Short mmCIF file of all heavy atoms in Angstrom, two decimals:
data_model
loop_
_atom_site.label_atom_id
_atom_site.label_comp_id
_atom_site.label_asym_id
_atom_site.label_seq_id
_atom_site.Cartn_x
_atom_site.Cartn_y
_atom_site.Cartn_z
N LYS E 138 85.71 -93.25 -101.46
CA LYS E 138 84.27 -93.43 -101.09
C LYS E 138 83.33 -92.33 -101.64
O LYS E 138 82.18 -92.37 -101.29
CB LYS E 138 84.16 -93.46 -99.59
CG LYS E 138 84.84 -94.66 -98.97
CD LYS E 138 84.65 -94.72 -97.48
CE LYS E 138 85.34 -95.95 -96.83
NZ LYS E 138 85.16 -95.95 -95.40
N SER E 139 83.81 -91.39 -102.41
CA SER E 139 82.91 -90.34 -102.92
C SER E 139 82.01 -90.86 -104.00
O SER E 139 82.27 -91.95 -104.56
CB SER E 139 83.73 -89.14 -103.36
OG SER E 139 84.50 -89.49 -104.46
N ASN E 140 80.98 -90.12 -104.35
CA ASN E 140 80.04 -90.58 -105.39
C ASN E 140 80.67 -90.74 -106.72
O ASN E 140 80.20 -91.53 -107.52
CB ASN E 140 78.88 -89.58 -105.46
CG ASN E 140 78.00 -89.74 -104.21
OD1 ASN E 140 77.80 -90.80 -103.71
ND2 ASN E 140 77.49 -88.59 -103.73
N GLY E 141 81.64 -89.88 -107.10
CA GLY E 141 82.29 -90.01 -108.38
C GLY E 141 83.78 -90.17 -108.09
O GLY E 141 84.45 -89.18 -108.04
N ASP E 142 84.29 -91.36 -108.04
CA ASP E 142 85.62 -91.58 -107.61
C ASP E 142 86.53 -91.68 -108.80
O ASP E 142 86.16 -92.07 -109.93
CB ASP E 142 85.75 -92.92 -106.84
CG ASP E 142 85.15 -92.76 -105.47
OD1 ASP E 142 84.85 -91.65 -105.09
OD2 ASP E 142 84.93 -93.84 -104.77
N ALA E 143 87.83 -91.42 -108.60
CA ALA E 143 88.82 -91.48 -109.62
C ALA E 143 90.13 -92.01 -109.13
O ALA E 143 90.45 -91.75 -107.96
CB ALA E 143 89.06 -90.07 -110.26
N GLU E 144 90.75 -92.81 -109.88
CA GLU E 144 92.06 -93.28 -109.41
C GLU E 144 93.18 -92.65 -110.29
O GLU E 144 93.04 -92.54 -111.55
CB GLU E 144 92.19 -94.81 -109.43
CG GLU E 144 91.54 -95.43 -110.67
CD GLU E 144 91.57 -96.92 -110.53
OE1 GLU E 144 90.65 -97.48 -109.94
OE2 GLU E 144 92.49 -97.55 -110.98
N ALA E 145 94.20 -92.20 -109.66
CA ALA E 145 95.20 -91.41 -110.40
C ALA E 145 96.33 -92.27 -110.93
O ALA E 145 97.00 -92.94 -110.28
CB ALA E 145 95.89 -90.41 -109.43
N VAL E 146 96.44 -92.31 -112.28
CA VAL E 146 97.43 -93.00 -113.00
C VAL E 146 98.03 -92.06 -114.00
O VAL E 146 97.34 -91.65 -114.91
CB VAL E 146 96.90 -94.21 -113.74
CG1 VAL E 146 97.98 -94.96 -114.47
CG2 VAL E 146 96.25 -95.20 -112.72
N PRO E 147 99.23 -91.62 -113.84
CA PRO E 147 99.73 -90.44 -114.54
C PRO E 147 99.87 -90.63 -116.07
O PRO E 147 100.78 -91.29 -116.50
CB PRO E 147 101.11 -90.17 -113.92
CG PRO E 147 101.11 -90.93 -112.64
CD PRO E 147 100.16 -92.10 -112.80
N THR E 148 98.94 -90.02 -116.82
CA THR E 148 99.02 -90.08 -118.23
C THR E 148 100.20 -89.28 -118.79
O THR E 148 100.83 -89.63 -119.77
CB THR E 148 97.72 -89.53 -118.82
OG1 THR E 148 96.66 -90.29 -118.24
CG2 THR E 148 97.65 -89.60 -120.33
N ARG E 149 100.53 -88.22 -118.14
CA ARG E 149 101.62 -87.33 -118.66
C ARG E 149 102.94 -88.08 -118.75
O ARG E 149 103.77 -87.77 -119.54
CB ARG E 149 101.78 -86.13 -117.78
CG ARG E 149 100.54 -85.17 -117.80
CD ARG E 149 100.79 -83.89 -117.01
NE ARG E 149 99.60 -83.10 -116.91
CZ ARG E 149 98.71 -83.22 -115.90
NH1 ARG E 149 98.91 -84.14 -114.98
NH2 ARG E 149 97.67 -82.51 -115.84
N ALA E 150 103.14 -89.08 -117.92
CA ALA E 150 104.32 -89.83 -117.94
C ALA E 150 104.49 -90.50 -119.31
O ALA E 150 105.59 -90.61 -119.90
CB ALA E 150 104.37 -90.85 -116.85
N ALA E 151 103.38 -91.02 -119.86
CA ALA E 151 103.45 -91.69 -121.13
C ALA E 151 103.68 -90.68 -122.26
O ALA E 151 104.46 -90.92 -123.17
CB ALA E 151 102.09 -92.43 -121.43
N ARG E 152 103.03 -89.51 -122.14
CA ARG E 152 103.19 -88.48 -123.17
C ARG E 152 104.60 -87.93 -123.13
O ARG E 152 105.16 -87.51 -124.21
CB ARG E 152 102.21 -87.34 -122.97
CG ARG E 152 100.77 -87.74 -123.08
CD ARG E 152 99.92 -86.53 -123.38
NE ARG E 152 100.00 -85.60 -122.25
CZ ARG E 152 99.15 -85.52 -121.26
NH1 ARG E 152 98.19 -86.46 -121.14
NH2 ARG E 152 99.23 -84.65 -120.29
N GLU E 153 105.21 -87.80 -121.96
CA GLU E 153 106.47 -87.04 -121.89
C GLU E 153 107.75 -87.92 -121.66
O GLU E 153 108.78 -87.46 -121.38
CB GLU E 153 106.36 -85.98 -120.75
CG GLU E 153 105.24 -84.99 -120.99
CD GLU E 153 105.12 -84.07 -119.81
OE1 GLU E 153 105.90 -84.10 -118.92
OE2 GLU E 153 104.15 -83.27 -119.86
N THR E 154 107.57 -89.21 -121.83
CA THR E 154 108.66 -90.17 -121.56
C THR E 154 109.92 -89.75 -122.40
O THR E 154 111.02 -89.62 -121.89
CB THR E 154 108.29 -91.58 -121.84
OG1 THR E 154 107.26 -91.96 -120.92
CG2 THR E 154 109.51 -92.51 -121.74
N THR E 155 109.70 -89.60 -123.69
CA THR E 155 110.83 -89.31 -124.59
C THR E 155 111.45 -88.00 -124.28
O THR E 155 112.67 -87.85 -124.13
CB THR E 155 110.34 -89.32 -126.05
OG1 THR E 155 109.73 -90.56 -126.32
CG2 THR E 155 111.52 -89.03 -126.95
N GLU E 156 110.63 -86.94 -124.01
CA GLU E 156 111.20 -85.63 -123.77
C GLU E 156 111.92 -85.63 -122.44
O GLU E 156 113.05 -85.00 -122.36
CB GLU E 156 110.03 -84.62 -123.76
CG GLU E 156 110.55 -83.20 -123.57
CD GLU E 156 109.40 -82.18 -123.68
OE1 GLU E 156 108.25 -82.64 -123.89
OE2 GLU E 156 109.65 -80.99 -123.46
N ALA E 157 111.33 -86.19 -121.42
CA ALA E 157 111.99 -86.22 -120.08
C ALA E 157 113.27 -87.05 -120.15
O ALA E 157 114.31 -86.70 -119.53
CB ALA E 157 111.06 -86.78 -119.02
N ALA E 158 113.26 -88.15 -120.93
CA ALA E 158 114.42 -88.97 -121.03
C ALA E 158 115.57 -88.21 -121.69
O ALA E 158 116.69 -88.37 -121.34
CB ALA E 158 114.12 -90.25 -121.76
N ASN E 159 115.22 -87.42 -122.74
CA ASN E 159 116.28 -86.67 -123.36
C ASN E 159 116.91 -85.64 -122.46
O ASN E 159 118.10 -85.31 -122.60
CB ASN E 159 115.69 -85.91 -124.60
CG ASN E 159 115.31 -86.86 -125.71
OD1 ASN E 159 115.85 -87.94 -125.80
ND2 ASN E 159 114.39 -86.46 -126.56
N HIS E 160 116.19 -85.21 -121.50
CA HIS E 160 116.75 -84.19 -120.55
C HIS E 160 117.56 -84.89 -119.47
O HIS E 160 118.64 -84.40 -119.11
CB HIS E 160 115.60 -83.40 -119.87
CG HIS E 160 115.05 -82.35 -120.74
ND1 HIS E 160 115.75 -81.14 -120.98
CD2 HIS E 160 113.89 -82.23 -121.41
CE1 HIS E 160 114.98 -80.41 -121.75
NE2 HIS E 160 113.89 -81.03 -122.03
N THR E 161 117.03 -86.00 -118.92
CA THR E 161 117.60 -86.46 -117.61
C THR E 161 117.91 -87.93 -117.53
O THR E 161 118.55 -88.41 -116.61
CB THR E 161 116.68 -86.09 -116.49
OG1 THR E 161 115.46 -86.72 -116.70
CG2 THR E 161 116.43 -84.58 -116.41
N ALA E 162 117.40 -88.78 -118.39
CA ALA E 162 117.42 -90.21 -118.16
C ALA E 162 118.82 -90.74 -118.31
O ALA E 162 119.56 -90.43 -119.22
CB ALA E 162 116.50 -90.93 -119.08
N ALA E 163 119.16 -91.64 -117.35
CA ALA E 163 120.52 -92.28 -117.42
C ALA E 163 120.28 -93.74 -117.85
O ALA E 163 119.15 -94.22 -117.88
CB ALA E 163 121.18 -92.24 -116.05
N ALA E 164 121.35 -94.46 -118.11
CA ALA E 164 121.25 -95.86 -118.49
C ALA E 164 120.79 -96.66 -117.23
O ALA E 164 120.96 -96.22 -116.14
CB ALA E 164 122.60 -96.36 -118.92
N PRO E 165 120.09 -97.76 -117.48
CA PRO E 165 119.56 -98.54 -116.34
C PRO E 165 120.70 -98.96 -115.41
O PRO E 165 121.78 -99.34 -115.78
CB PRO E 165 118.93 -99.75 -117.04
CG PRO E 165 118.59 -99.32 -118.44
CD PRO E 165 119.68 -98.34 -118.76
N GLN E 166 120.33 -98.84 -114.08
CA GLN E 166 121.33 -99.16 -113.05
C GLN E 166 120.80 -100.38 -112.28
O GLN E 166 119.72 -100.85 -112.54
CB GLN E 166 121.56 -97.99 -112.12
CG GLN E 166 121.99 -96.75 -112.87
CD GLN E 166 123.33 -96.79 -113.45
OE1 GLN E 166 124.19 -97.47 -112.86
NE2 GLN E 166 123.59 -96.19 -114.58
N SER E 167 121.61 -100.79 -111.26
CA SER E 167 121.19 -101.91 -110.49
C SER E 167 120.28 -101.59 -109.32
O SER E 167 119.80 -102.44 -108.60
CB SER E 167 122.41 -102.62 -109.93
OG SER E 167 123.19 -101.74 -109.12
N SER E 168 120.05 -100.30 -109.08
CA SER E 168 119.21 -99.82 -108.01
C SER E 168 117.76 -100.25 -108.23
O SER E 168 117.33 -100.38 -109.36
CB SER E 168 119.28 -98.30 -107.88
OG SER E 168 118.30 -97.82 -106.96
N THR E 169 117.03 -100.40 -107.20
CA THR E 169 115.61 -100.73 -107.27
C THR E 169 114.70 -99.53 -107.09
O THR E 169 113.50 -99.72 -106.90
CB THR E 169 115.30 -101.84 -106.19
OG1 THR E 169 115.53 -101.25 -104.95
CG2 THR E 169 116.05 -103.09 -106.45
N ALA E 170 115.24 -98.35 -107.18
CA ALA E 170 114.40 -97.13 -107.01
C ALA E 170 114.86 -96.05 -107.92
O ALA E 170 115.99 -96.00 -108.40
CB ALA E 170 114.48 -96.70 -105.52
N LEU E 171 113.94 -95.15 -108.17
CA LEU E 171 114.31 -93.84 -108.82
C LEU E 171 114.79 -92.93 -107.76
O LEU E 171 114.10 -92.61 -106.79
CB LEU E 171 113.05 -93.32 -109.54
CG LEU E 171 113.10 -91.92 -110.06
CD1 LEU E 171 114.13 -91.74 -111.20
CD2 LEU E 171 111.72 -91.49 -110.61
N VAL E 172 115.98 -92.39 -107.87
CA VAL E 172 116.60 -91.62 -106.85
C VAL E 172 116.81 -90.21 -107.31
O VAL E 172 117.40 -89.94 -108.37
CB VAL E 172 118.00 -92.19 -106.42
CG1 VAL E 172 118.67 -91.32 -105.35
CG2 VAL E 172 117.86 -93.65 -105.97
N ILE E 173 116.28 -89.18 -106.61
CA ILE E 173 116.42 -87.78 -106.87
C ILE E 173 117.35 -87.19 -105.81
O ILE E 173 117.08 -87.35 -104.58
CB ILE E 173 115.07 -87.12 -106.78
CG1 ILE E 173 114.07 -87.77 -107.78
CG2 ILE E 173 115.19 -85.62 -107.10
CD1 ILE E 173 114.45 -87.68 -109.21
N THR E 174 118.39 -86.58 -106.21
CA THR E 174 119.45 -86.10 -105.28
C THR E 174 119.47 -84.66 -105.08
O THR E 174 120.39 -84.10 -104.49
CB THR E 174 120.84 -86.62 -105.75
OG1 THR E 174 121.02 -86.06 -107.08
CG2 THR E 174 120.88 -88.12 -105.85
N LYS E 175 118.45 -83.93 -105.54
CA LYS E 175 118.34 -82.53 -105.39
C LYS E 175 116.98 -82.15 -104.91
O LYS E 175 115.99 -82.85 -105.17
CB LYS E 175 118.67 -81.80 -106.69
CG LYS E 175 120.06 -82.01 -107.25
CD LYS E 175 120.27 -81.28 -108.58
CE LYS E 175 121.73 -81.54 -109.10
NZ LYS E 175 121.96 -80.84 -110.38
N PRO E 176 116.83 -80.98 -104.25
CA PRO E 176 115.51 -80.56 -103.83
C PRO E 176 114.59 -80.32 -105.04
O PRO E 176 115.06 -79.97 -106.14
CB PRO E 176 115.81 -79.23 -103.08
CG PRO E 176 117.21 -79.25 -102.75
CD PRO E 176 117.90 -80.07 -103.79
N LEU E 177 113.29 -80.52 -104.88
CA LEU E 177 112.32 -80.26 -105.91
C LEU E 177 111.56 -78.99 -105.66
O LEU E 177 111.04 -78.77 -104.54
CB LEU E 177 111.37 -81.42 -105.97
CG LEU E 177 111.90 -82.81 -106.34
CD1 LEU E 177 110.83 -83.88 -106.28
CD2 LEU E 177 112.54 -82.76 -107.75
N ARG E 178 111.58 -78.07 -106.61
CA ARG E 178 110.99 -76.80 -106.54
C ARG E 178 109.47 -76.84 -106.87
O ARG E 178 109.01 -77.81 -107.48
CB ARG E 178 111.71 -75.80 -107.34
CG ARG E 178 113.23 -75.67 -107.11
CD ARG E 178 113.79 -74.55 -107.96
NE ARG E 178 113.58 -74.73 -109.39
CZ ARG E 178 114.42 -75.53 -110.15
NH1 ARG E 178 115.36 -76.16 -109.60
NH2 ARG E 178 114.13 -75.62 -111.44
N SER E 179 108.78 -75.80 -106.53
CA SER E 179 107.38 -75.69 -106.88
C SER E 179 107.21 -75.74 -108.37
O SER E 179 108.01 -75.11 -109.09
CB SER E 179 106.86 -74.34 -106.37
OG SER E 179 105.50 -74.17 -106.79
N GLY E 180 106.30 -76.56 -108.84
CA GLY E 180 106.06 -76.76 -110.29
C GLY E 180 106.71 -78.01 -110.86
O GLY E 180 106.39 -78.41 -111.97
N GLN E 181 107.70 -78.60 -110.14
CA GLN E 181 108.30 -79.82 -110.60
C GLN E 181 107.44 -80.98 -110.22
O GLN E 181 106.85 -81.06 -109.19
CB GLN E 181 109.70 -79.98 -110.01
CG GLN E 181 110.70 -79.03 -110.62
CD GLN E 181 112.15 -79.35 -110.13
OE1 GLN E 181 112.41 -79.22 -108.92
NE2 GLN E 181 112.99 -79.75 -111.04
N ARG E 182 107.41 -81.99 -111.13
CA ARG E 182 106.55 -83.17 -111.00
C ARG E 182 107.43 -84.39 -111.35
O ARG E 182 107.82 -84.46 -112.50
CB ARG E 182 105.36 -83.08 -111.84
CG ARG E 182 104.28 -84.15 -111.64
CD ARG E 182 103.03 -83.74 -112.49
NE ARG E 182 101.86 -84.48 -112.15
CZ ARG E 182 101.41 -85.48 -112.94
NH1 ARG E 182 102.00 -85.81 -114.05
NH2 ARG E 182 100.26 -86.11 -112.56
N VAL E 183 107.69 -85.30 -110.45
CA VAL E 183 108.44 -86.45 -110.69
C VAL E 183 107.66 -87.72 -110.48
O VAL E 183 106.89 -87.90 -109.52
CB VAL E 183 109.68 -86.51 -109.69
CG1 VAL E 183 110.48 -87.76 -109.95
CG2 VAL E 183 110.54 -85.28 -109.93
N TYR E 184 107.73 -88.64 -111.48
CA TYR E 184 106.99 -89.90 -111.47
C TYR E 184 107.88 -91.03 -111.62
O TYR E 184 108.64 -91.17 -112.61
CB TYR E 184 105.97 -89.86 -112.57
CG TYR E 184 105.25 -91.21 -112.83
CD1 TYR E 184 104.82 -92.04 -111.80
CD2 TYR E 184 104.98 -91.60 -114.14
CE1 TYR E 184 104.17 -93.18 -112.09
CE2 TYR E 184 104.35 -92.81 -114.38
CZ TYR E 184 103.90 -93.58 -113.31
OH TYR E 184 103.30 -94.79 -113.53
N ALA E 185 107.91 -92.00 -110.70
CA ALA E 185 108.72 -93.15 -110.70
C ALA E 185 107.84 -94.34 -111.13
O ALA E 185 107.06 -94.88 -110.36
CB ALA E 185 109.34 -93.46 -109.34
N ARG E 186 107.94 -94.65 -112.42
CA ARG E 186 107.03 -95.66 -112.97
C ARG E 186 107.63 -97.09 -112.66
O ARG E 186 108.75 -97.38 -112.83
CB ARG E 186 106.92 -95.54 -114.53
CG ARG E 186 105.97 -96.49 -115.11
CD ARG E 186 105.49 -96.27 -116.46
NE ARG E 186 106.08 -95.34 -117.32
CZ ARG E 186 106.18 -95.53 -118.66
NH1 ARG E 186 105.82 -96.67 -119.19
NH2 ARG E 186 106.67 -94.62 -119.44
N HIS E 187 106.69 -97.96 -112.18
CA HIS E 187 107.02 -99.39 -111.82
C HIS E 187 108.01 -99.50 -110.70
O HIS E 187 108.60 -100.62 -110.49
CB HIS E 187 107.55 -100.13 -113.03
CG HIS E 187 106.65 -100.01 -114.21
ND1 HIS E 187 105.30 -99.94 -114.21
CD2 HIS E 187 107.00 -100.02 -115.56
CE1 HIS E 187 104.86 -99.88 -115.40
NE2 HIS E 187 105.84 -99.88 -116.24
N THR E 188 108.33 -98.46 -109.96
CA THR E 188 109.40 -98.62 -108.98
C THR E 188 109.11 -97.64 -107.81
O THR E 188 108.17 -96.87 -107.79
CB THR E 188 110.76 -98.32 -109.63
OG1 THR E 188 111.78 -98.69 -108.69
CG2 THR E 188 110.87 -96.90 -110.07
N ASP E 189 110.05 -97.65 -106.81
CA ASP E 189 109.95 -96.73 -105.69
C ASP E 189 110.63 -95.40 -106.05
O ASP E 189 111.44 -95.35 -107.01
CB ASP E 189 110.67 -97.37 -104.47
CG ASP E 189 109.96 -98.57 -103.92
OD1 ASP E 189 108.80 -98.83 -104.33
OD2 ASP E 189 110.61 -99.31 -103.14
N LEU E 190 110.38 -94.43 -105.26
CA LEU E 190 110.94 -93.11 -105.48
C LEU E 190 111.66 -92.67 -104.19
O LEU E 190 111.07 -92.74 -103.12
CB LEU E 190 109.90 -92.01 -105.86
CG LEU E 190 110.34 -90.59 -105.93
CD1 LEU E 190 111.42 -90.42 -107.04
CD2 LEU E 190 109.15 -89.66 -106.23
N VAL E 191 112.89 -92.23 -104.27
CA VAL E 191 113.64 -91.72 -103.18
C VAL E 191 114.08 -90.30 -103.53
O VAL E 191 114.74 -90.06 -104.50
CB VAL E 191 114.91 -92.62 -102.89
CG1 VAL E 191 115.71 -92.02 -101.74
CG2 VAL E 191 114.49 -94.06 -102.58
N VAL E 192 113.70 -89.41 -102.61
CA VAL E 192 114.10 -87.99 -102.76
C VAL E 192 115.04 -87.59 -101.64
O VAL E 192 114.58 -87.73 -100.45
CB VAL E 192 112.88 -87.07 -102.81
CG1 VAL E 192 113.37 -85.56 -102.99
CG2 VAL E 192 111.96 -87.43 -103.92
N ILE E 193 116.25 -87.22 -101.92
CA ILE E 193 117.18 -86.82 -100.91
C ILE E 193 117.23 -85.25 -100.93
O ILE E 193 117.96 -84.67 -101.71
CB ILE E 193 118.58 -87.45 -101.09
CG1 ILE E 193 118.48 -88.92 -101.20
CG2 ILE E 193 119.59 -86.97 -100.06
CD1 ILE E 193 119.79 -89.62 -101.60
N GLY E 194 116.38 -84.66 -100.15
CA GLY E 194 116.23 -83.27 -100.18
C GLY E 194 114.77 -82.87 -100.02
O GLY E 194 113.90 -83.70 -99.76
N MET E 195 114.45 -81.62 -100.09
CA MET E 195 113.14 -81.06 -99.87
C MET E 195 112.20 -81.21 -101.06
O MET E 195 112.67 -81.05 -102.19
CB MET E 195 113.20 -79.61 -99.44
CG MET E 195 111.87 -78.95 -99.14
SD MET E 195 112.02 -77.27 -98.48
CE MET E 195 112.90 -76.42 -99.84
#
Side-chain angles (χ1 to χ4, degrees):
K138 296 181 177 180
S139 62
N140 288 322
D142 289 349
E144 41 186 88
V146 180
T148 304
R149 294 185 188 90
R152 296 199 299 266
E153 298 177 6
T154 295
T155 301
E156 185 175 357
N159 289 338
H160 280 287
T161 61
Q166 306 292 326
S167 59
S168 172
T169 59
L171 169 63
V172 179
I173 304 298
T174 58
K175 296 180 181 179
L177 296 176
R178 303 185 302 277
S179 177
Q181 287 187 295
R182 189 173 192 255
V183 177
Y184 170 41
R186 185 164 12 145
H187 306 327
T188 191
D189 295 346
L190 174 62
V191 178
V192 180
I193 304 173
M195 179 172 62

